[in-house]
Amino acid sequence: AVVSTQSTGAVSFIVLPMLVVLICIVWLLYYVNRVQGLQRQSVVTLLLISLCYFCSYLPYGIYYIIKAFFPLMGASYAIRYHYYRVTLYMCYLNFSANTLIYTLSV
């Protein structure tokens, strides 16, 4: 099976930032446990923003992984239209949730 460069580019564009966010979350939790005197509210805000980003873009990354590496499954009607529409709405939820999280954490 031939993997298109557009799909692999989309996979790297979505999956690599998710890995960076995941590594930063783990590092932040490790750092907070070692250092005394940090404000917990700012740490909780950063964790919520990171978690929201990760959860909202994960289905989008899965969609492009399916499309790139499993072309027959990616060609099905349910994956192409319904799942793709849901993944786009999940990305919009990230923008809305960021506003709410920053507003409520001040």
Side-chain angles (χ1 to χ4, degrees), residues 24-25 27-29 31-32 35-51 101-102 104-106:
C24 288
I25 290 172
W27 178 80
L28 182 65
L29 289 174
Y31 183 74
V32 165
V35 174
Q36 300 293 327
L38 286 178
Q39 290 189 2
R40 300 288 180 191
Q41 183 178 1
S42 60
V43 173
V44 170
T45 302
L46 288 174
L47 286 176
L48 285 175
I49 293 294
S50 301
L51 185 66
I101 290 170
Y102 281 127
L104 295 175
S105 68
V106 172

Side-chain angles (χ1 to χ4, degrees), residues 29-104:
L29 289 174
Y30 174 75
Y31 183 74
V32 165
N33 283 335
R34 293 193 59 172
V35 174
Q36 300 293 327
L38 286 178
Q39 290 189 2
R40 300 288 180 191
Q41 183 178 1
S42 60
V43 173
V44 170
T45 302
L46 288 174
L47 286 176
L48 285 175
I49 293 294
S50 301
L51 185 66
C52 182
Y53 171 80
F54 188 75
C55 290
S56 64
Y57 278 96
L58 183 64
Y60 196 63
I62 291 172
Y63 169 77
Y64 277 107
I65 289 172
I66 289 172
K67 188 176 173 184
F69 298 108
F70 304 104
L72 293 177
M73 187 184 298
S76 73
Y77 179 79
I79 297 289
R80 276 188 302 156
Y81 296 107
H82 298 300
Y83 186 73
Y84 181 69
R85 185 179 306 154
V86 169
T87 60
L88 285 179
Y89 291 143
M90 294 285 291
C91 295
Y92 291 129
L93 287 176
N94 179 42
F95 301 133
S96 302
N98 284 346
T99 306
L100 289 174
I101 290 170
Y102 281 127
T103 303
L104 295 175

Side-chain angles (χ1 to χ4, degrees), residues 1-19:
V2 176
V3 178
S4 69
T5 57
Q6 180 183 6
S7 295
T8 55
V11 167
S12 64
F13 183 69
I14 298 295
V15 173
L16 289 178
M18 282 187 183
L19 290 176

